[in-house]
Amino acid sequence: MAATPDLPGIPSPPPPGESALRAGTFDGTCVVVTGGGTGLGKAIALEFARLGADVVVASRKEEHLDAGRRAIEELGARALAVACDIREADSVAALFDQASEAFGMPGVLVNNAAANFPVPAEDMSPNAWRTVVDITLTGTFLCAREFGRRHLAAGTPGSIVNVGASYAWTGGPGFAHSAAAKAGVVNLTQTLAVEWGPYGIQVNCLVPGLMPHEDMTGDIRSNLDRTHDKDACQPALRVGERQELGWAATFLASPYGRFISGHTLVVDGANWHRRSLTNPTVVPVREQMGLGPFEG
Ligand code: NAP
C-alpha cells in the first residue's frame, strides 16, 4: 500500500497498534463482532481488544472463528468464538446467551458480517439475491433486534455499530443485491437510533472505503484485480488500512461518541464523492467482468 504522502503540518496516521483512546476504555465491556474472524471485522475486533474489551467473535466457519479468537488472545485480551448464522433468529439468541454467560451482557454490537459477490443483475438468481439480502440486511436486523430487546428488558444502555458501504447511496453496478441491502442497513441505522435513543442505545453505521485484505473472497479479489491501480484512483492517493476502520468503530462506541447516534461515518478519504461532469467512459458490467452477451 502507498504511504500517506507526508504533508507539512499534519501528521500521518500512526502505525497499527496505536489508539487515540485511553488504555482500558472498554475494560469490563463485552463486545460482539459478527464476522470478526476475517478482514475488517477482525481488525475492528482487535481494536476493541487492545482497549480492554472482552470480545465475542461470531460467524459460521470454524477456521474464521479460530483465526479471530487467536488474534485477540495474542493481544492478551479475553475472547470467545461462537458459531452463529446471523440469518437465524434462534442462532442469534444463542450467540447472545453464550456471550452473556462468558462476559456479561454485551455492551457493544458490531454488525460487520455480510455476503457479496459480483454478478450482473440479469444473471442474478433469486437465490443469490435472497442470500445476500438475508445475510447483510436481515442478519443485521436480527442481531440488532436481539441486542435491543435484551437492553430494553434490563434497562441498560448499549451501542450498535453497523457496517455499510457507499453504494448504499450511489447504487452498485454489478452488486445489485449487496448495494440494495446496504441501503437498508444505512436506513435501519436511522430508524433504530430514534426508536431506541430514549433507552440509551446508540445506533451508528460505518462505511469503509476500499480496504483490501488477505481474507477477501476470490470473487471480490479478482473483480478488484481486473481494474487499474487502486491507490492512484483515490483522492487520498491510497486505499484504506483496516485498522482505520477499527479506530472509527472504537471511537463511535466510546464515551467520546456518546452523543452521536443515527450517523453514518464514511472512512474512505472522500472517494465516494469523486464525480465529475465527464466521468470515465461507460463500460457495461458484463464487459467489465469479461462475460459474453446475455443469452437469456
Ligand atoms: P469478509 O472478509 O468477506 O467478511 C465477511 C464476514 O462475514 C466473514 O467473517 C464471514 O464469516 C461472515 N459471515 C458471512 N455470512 C455470515 C452469516 N450468515 N452468519 C454469520 N457470519 C457471516 O468481508 P470484509 O471485506 O472484511 O468486509 C467487512 C464488512 O465491510 C462487510 O460488511 C462489507 O460489506 C463491508 N465493506 C468492506 C469493504 C472492503 O473494502 N473490504 C468495502 C466496503 C464495505 P463466516 O464465513 O465464518 O460465516
Side-chain angles (χ1 to χ4, degrees):
M1 194 216 80
T4 300
D6 256 333
L7 303 174
I10 181 160
S12 296
E18 294 204 12
S19 176
L21 294 171
R22 273 195 322 269
T25 293
F26 293 102
D27 276 357
T29 302
C30 172
V31 177
V32 172
V33 184
T34 64
T38 62
L40 304 189
K42 184 157 91 177
I44 292 171
L46 290 180
E47 294 312 316
F48 277 104
R50 241 186 270 289
L51 290 165
D54 301 318
V55 181
V56 180
V57 174
S59 78
R60 297 159 306 172
K61 298 190 185 130
E62 194 81 35
E63 71 266 26
H64 293 160
L65 291 168
D66 279 351
R69 187 182 38 74
R70 262 187 284 110
I72 293 161
E73 286 174 350
E74 276 164 21
L75 292 178
R78 296 199 298 172
L80 176 73
V82 179
C84 171
D85 187 331
I86 59 169
R87 289 171 288 189
E88 304 296 336
D90 290 350
S91 183
V92 170
L95 158 67
F96 278 85
D97 286 344
Q98 287 181 61
S100 302
E101 199 174 312
F103 300 136
M105 170 108 88
V108 178
L109 165 67
V110 182
N111 271 317
N112 161 83
N116 199 9
F117 52 89
V119 56
E122 65 274 17
D123 288 345
M124 193 178 287
S125 69
N127 193 41
W129 169 272
R130 278 193 206 103
T131 301
V132 170
V133 173
D134 256 14
I135 295 175
T136 304
L137 178 56
T138 307
T140 295
F141 171 68
L142 291 178
C143 291
R145 174 184 178 275
E146 192 63 42
F147 182 91
R149 284 166 65 87
R150 288 178 188 231
H151 279 287
L152 260 62
T156 46
S159 183
I160 297 176
V161 179
N162 296 324
V163 178
S166 60
Y167 50 35
W169 302 299
T170 62
F175 297 93
H177 44 14
S178 171
K182 290 297 192 183
V185 169
V186 169
N187 187 278
L188 183 64
T189 300
Q190 296 162 342
T191 301
L192 296 183
V194 174
E195 283 201 29
W196 294 345
Y199 309 106
I201 299 175
Q202 287 168 271
V203 188
N204 288 297
C205 185
L206 276 177
V207 161
L210 179 58
M211 296 183 175
H213 57 78
E214 67 276 0
D215 297 320
M216 277 177 152
T217 60
D219 266 348
I220 298 286
R221 169 135 329 261
S222 53
N223 197 54
L224 278 181
D225 289 347
R226 265 193 298 276
T227 52
H228 34 56
D229 174 40
K230 308 301 169 304
D231 291 325
C233 297
Q234 309 277 324
L237 303 182
R238 68 174 179 91
V239 295
E241 291 282 1
R242 63 195 92 169
Q243 71 272 11
E244 296 182 294
L245 197 67
W247 292 335
T250 48
F251 165 68
L252 283 178
S254 79
Y256 294 98
R258 201 57 78 221
F259 201 52
I260 303 172
S261 196
H263 184 67
T264 292
L265 177 62
V266 185
V267 185
D268 82 338
N271 192 50
W272 87 274
H273 295 295
R274 194 163 174 242
R275 316 283 290 169
S276 70
L277 289 177
T278 54
N279 284 310
T281 312
V282 173
V283 182
V285 166
R286 303 194 74 79
E287 208 174 301
Q288 290 174 34
M289 295 182 65
L291 301 171
F294 177 65
E295 282 169 5

